[in-house]
PDB file of all heavy atoms in Angstrom:
ATOM      1  N   THR A  11       4.028  19.946   5.921  1.00 38.00           N
ATOM      2  CA  THR A  11       3.949  21.405   6.037  1.00 38.00           C
ATOM      3  C   THR A  11       3.041  21.983   4.963  1.00 38.00           C
ATOM      4  O   THR A  11       3.197  21.678   3.779  1.00 38.00           O
ATOM      5  CB  THR A  11       5.339  22.065   5.961  1.00 38.00           C
ATOM      6  OG1 THR A  11       5.133  23.462   5.786  1.00 38.00           O
ATOM      7  CG2 THR A  11       6.174  21.556   4.809  1.00 38.00           C
ATOM      8  N   PRO A  12       2.070  22.778   5.343  1.00 37.00           N
ATOM      9  CA  PRO A  12       1.222  23.405   4.353  1.00 37.00           C
ATOM     10  C   PRO A  12       1.859  24.687   3.809  1.00 37.00           C
ATOM     11  O   PRO A  12       1.324  25.321   2.940  1.00 37.00           O
ATOM     12  CB  PRO A  12      -0.034  23.751   5.150  1.00 37.00           C
ATOM     13  CG  PRO A  12       0.467  23.995   6.537  1.00 37.00           C
ATOM     14  CD  PRO A  12       1.681  23.114   6.710  1.00 37.00           C
ATOM     15  N   PHE A  13       2.980  25.058   4.361  1.00 36.00           N
ATOM     16  CA  PHE A  13       3.612  26.318   3.964  1.00 36.00           C
ATOM     17  C   PHE A  13       4.932  25.972   3.291  1.00 36.00           C
ATOM     18  O   PHE A  13       6.001  26.129   3.871  1.00 36.00           O
ATOM     19  CB  PHE A  13       3.838  27.212   5.181  1.00 36.00           C
ATOM     20  CG  PHE A  13       2.580  27.433   5.957  1.00 36.00           C
ATOM     21  CD1 PHE A  13       2.364  26.779   7.151  1.00 36.00           C
ATOM     22  CD2 PHE A  13       1.599  28.275   5.459  1.00 36.00           C
ATOM     23  CE1 PHE A  13       1.186  26.973   7.856  1.00 36.00           C
ATOM     24  CE2 PHE A  13       0.422  28.471   6.161  1.00 36.00           C
ATOM     25  CZ  PHE A  13       0.226  27.812   7.362  1.00 36.00           C
ATOM     26  N   SER A  14       4.857  25.465   2.085  1.00 37.00           N
ATOM     27  CA  SER A  14       6.044  24.978   1.413  1.00 37.00           C
ATOM     28  C   SER A  14       7.018  26.113   1.168  1.00 37.00           C
ATOM     29  O   SER A  14       6.638  27.207   0.768  1.00 37.00           O
ATOM     30  CB  SER A  14       5.664  24.331   0.100  1.00 37.00           C
ATOM     31  OG  SER A  14       6.817  23.953  -0.596  1.00 37.00           O
ATOM     32  N   THR A  15       8.270  25.834   1.426  1.00 36.00           N
ATOM     33  CA  THR A  15       9.289  26.834   1.139  1.00 36.00           C
ATOM     34  C   THR A  15      10.027  26.456  -0.147  1.00 36.00           C
ATOM     35  O   THR A  15      10.967  27.108  -0.543  1.00 36.00           O
ATOM     36  CB  THR A  15      10.309  26.907   2.292  1.00 36.00           C
ATOM     37  OG1 THR A  15      10.775  25.588   2.547  1.00 36.00           O
ATOM     38  CG2 THR A  15       9.670  27.485   3.536  1.00 36.00           C
ATOM     39  N   ARG A  16       9.587  25.338  -0.771  1.00 37.00           N
ATOM     40  CA  ARG A  16      10.227  24.931  -2.019  1.00 37.00           C
ATOM     41  C   ARG A  16       9.681  25.737  -3.181  1.00 37.00           C
ATOM     42  O   ARG A  16       8.783  26.542  -3.044  1.00 37.00           O
ATOM     43  CB  ARG A  16       9.967  23.436  -2.266  1.00 37.00           C
ATOM     44  CG  ARG A  16      10.447  22.573  -1.128  1.00 37.00           C
ATOM     45  CD  ARG A  16      11.478  21.565  -1.531  1.00 37.00           C
ATOM     46  NE  ARG A  16      11.692  21.476  -2.959  1.00 37.00           N
ATOM     47  CZ  ARG A  16      11.840  20.341  -3.582  1.00 37.00           C
ATOM     48  NH1 ARG A  16      11.733  19.216  -2.930  1.00 37.00           N
ATOM     49  NH2 ARG A  16      12.093  20.316  -4.869  1.00 37.00           N
ATOM     50  N   GLY A  17      10.214  25.476  -4.352  1.00 38.00           N
ATOM     51  CA  GLY A  17       9.661  26.117  -5.532  1.00 38.00           C
ATOM     52  C   GLY A  17      10.388  27.391  -5.905  1.00 38.00           C
ATOM     53  O   GLY A  17       9.931  28.185  -6.701  1.00 38.00           O
ATOM     54  N   CYS A  18      11.554  27.624  -5.304  1.00 40.00           N
ATOM     55  CA  CYS A  18      12.330  28.804  -5.674  1.00 40.00           C
ATOM     56  C   CYS A  18      13.105  28.522  -6.964  1.00 40.00           C
ATOM     57  O   CYS A  18      13.112  27.404  -7.463  1.00 40.00           O
ATOM     58  CB  CYS A  18      13.267  29.190  -4.540  1.00 40.00           C
ATOM     59  SG  CYS A  18      14.459  27.909  -4.186  1.00 40.00           S
ATOM     60  N   ALA A  19      13.737  29.502  -7.499  1.00 43.00           N
ATOM     61  CA  ALA A  19      14.370  29.396  -8.812  1.00 43.00           C
ATOM     62  C   ALA A  19      15.373  28.238  -8.890  1.00 43.00           C
ATOM     63  O   ALA A  19      15.408  27.508  -9.866  1.00 43.00           O
ATOM     64  CB  ALA A  19      15.054  30.708  -9.148  1.00 43.00           C
ATOM     65  N   ASN A  20      16.150  28.038  -7.836  1.00 47.00           N
ATOM     66  CA  ASN A  20      17.160  26.984  -7.851  1.00 47.00           C
ATOM     67  C   ASN A  20      16.556  25.597  -7.992  1.00 47.00           C
ATOM     68  O   ASN A  20      17.020  24.774  -8.750  1.00 47.00           O
ATOM     69  CB  ASN A  20      17.981  27.019  -6.557  1.00 47.00           C
ATOM     70  CG  ASN A  20      19.046  28.093  -6.645  1.00 47.00           C
ATOM     71  OD1 ASN A  20      19.350  28.544  -7.743  1.00 47.00           O
ATOM     72  ND2 ASN A  20      19.570  28.496  -5.512  1.00 47.00           N
ATOM     73  N   ASP A  21      15.473  25.330  -7.196  1.00 47.00           N
ATOM     74  CA  ASP A  21      14.795  24.042  -7.272  1.00 47.00           C
ATOM     75  C   ASP A  21      14.358  23.772  -8.693  1.00 47.00           C
ATOM     76  O   ASP A  21      14.485  22.677  -9.199  1.00 47.00           O
ATOM     77  CB  ASP A  21      13.525  24.049  -6.395  1.00 47.00           C
ATOM     78  CG  ASP A  21      13.888  23.905  -4.928  1.00 47.00           C
ATOM     79  OD1 ASP A  21      15.058  23.577  -4.663  1.00 47.00           O
ATOM     80  OD2 ASP A  21      13.006  24.120  -4.092  1.00 47.00           O
ATOM     81  N   TYR A  22      13.827  24.788  -9.323  1.00 49.00           N
ATOM     82  CA  TYR A  22      13.261  24.640 -10.660  1.00 49.00           C
ATOM     83  C   TYR A  22      14.352  24.231 -11.641  1.00 49.00           C
ATOM     84  O   TYR A  22      14.191  23.278 -12.397  1.00 49.00           O
ATOM     85  CB  TYR A  22      12.612  25.965 -11.090  1.00 49.00           C
ATOM     86  CG  TYR A  22      12.012  25.905 -12.465  1.00 49.00           C
ATOM     87  CD1 TYR A  22      10.954  25.049 -12.736  1.00 49.00           C
ATOM     88  CD2 TYR A  22      12.533  26.680 -13.492  1.00 49.00           C
ATOM     89  CE1 TYR A  22      10.413  24.970 -13.999  1.00 49.00           C
ATOM     90  CE2 TYR A  22      11.994  26.612 -14.756  1.00 49.00           C
ATOM     91  CZ  TYR A  22      10.927  25.750 -15.013  1.00 49.00           C
ATOM     92  OH  TYR A  22      10.406  25.681 -16.271  1.00 49.00           O
ATOM     93  N   ALA A  23      15.482  24.903 -11.602  1.00 51.00           N
ATOM     94  CA  ALA A  23      16.570  24.595 -12.525  1.00 51.00           C
ATOM     95  C   ALA A  23      17.029  23.146 -12.358  1.00 51.00           C
ATOM     96  O   ALA A  23      17.226  22.430 -13.336  1.00 51.00           O
ATOM     97  CB  ALA A  23      17.731  25.554 -12.289  1.00 51.00           C
ATOM     98  N   GLN A  24      17.137  22.685 -11.099  1.00 54.00           N
ATOM     99  CA  GLN A  24      17.596  21.315 -10.865  1.00 54.00           C
ATOM    100  C   GLN A  24      16.579  20.301 -11.354  1.00 54.00           C
ATOM    101  O   GLN A  24      16.920  19.312 -11.989  1.00 54.00           O
ATOM    102  CB  GLN A  24      17.839  21.111  -9.373  1.00 54.00           C
ATOM    103  CG  GLN A  24      19.243  21.539  -8.991  1.00 54.00           C
ATOM    104  CD  GLN A  24      19.460  21.427  -7.495  1.00 54.00           C
ATOM    105  OE1 GLN A  24      18.613  20.918  -6.777  1.00 54.00           O
ATOM    106  NE2 GLN A  24      20.581  21.914  -7.052  1.00 54.00           N
ATOM    107  N   ASP A  25      15.275  20.551 -11.031  1.00 54.00           N
ATOM    108  CA  ASP A  25      14.225  19.621 -11.433  1.00 54.00           C
ATOM    109  C   ASP A  25      14.234  19.429 -12.947  1.00 54.00           C
ATOM    110  O   ASP A  25      14.025  18.339 -13.437  1.00 54.00           O
ATOM    111  CB  ASP A  25      12.842  20.147 -11.008  1.00 54.00           C
ATOM    112  CG  ASP A  25      12.655  19.988  -9.500  1.00 54.00           C
ATOM    113  OD1 ASP A  25      13.516  19.303  -8.895  1.00 54.00           O
ATOM    114  OD2 ASP A  25      11.698  20.545  -8.962  1.00 54.00           O
ATOM    115  N   LYS A  26      14.490  20.489 -13.675  1.00 56.00           N
ATOM    116  CA  LYS A  26      14.411  20.462 -15.134  1.00 56.00           C
ATOM    117  C   LYS A  26      15.421  19.470 -15.728  1.00 56.00           C
ATOM    118  O   LYS A  26      15.135  18.795 -16.701  1.00 56.00           O
ATOM    119  CB  LYS A  26      14.690  21.857 -15.691  1.00 56.00           C
ATOM    120  CG  LYS A  26      13.583  22.381 -16.583  1.00 56.00           C
ATOM    121  CD  LYS A  26      13.866  23.812 -16.963  1.00 56.00           C
ATOM    122  CE  LYS A  26      13.629  24.038 -18.427  1.00 56.00           C
ATOM    123  NZ  LYS A  26      13.910  25.425 -18.781  1.00 56.00           N
ATOM    124  N   LEU A  27      16.583  19.381 -15.089  1.00 60.00           N
ATOM    125  CA  LEU A  27      17.621  18.500 -15.603  1.00 60.00           C
ATOM    126  C   LEU A  27      17.266  17.033 -15.422  1.00 60.00           C
ATOM    127  O   LEU A  27      17.563  16.201 -16.255  1.00 60.00           O
ATOM    128  CB  LEU A  27      18.949  18.780 -14.895  1.00 60.00           C
ATOM    129  CG  LEU A  27      19.596  20.121 -15.215  1.00 60.00           C
ATOM    130  CD1 LEU A  27      20.840  20.325 -14.376  1.00 60.00           C
ATOM    131  CD2 LEU A  27      19.958  20.186 -16.701  1.00 60.00           C
TER     132      LEU A  27
END
Side-chain angles (χ1 to χ4, degrees):
T11 167
F13 306 104
S14 175
T15 52
R16 303 240 352 222
C18 62
N20 279 343
D21 283 348
Y22 180 64
Q24 273 176 7
D25 286 350
K26 236 174 135 180
L27 291 176

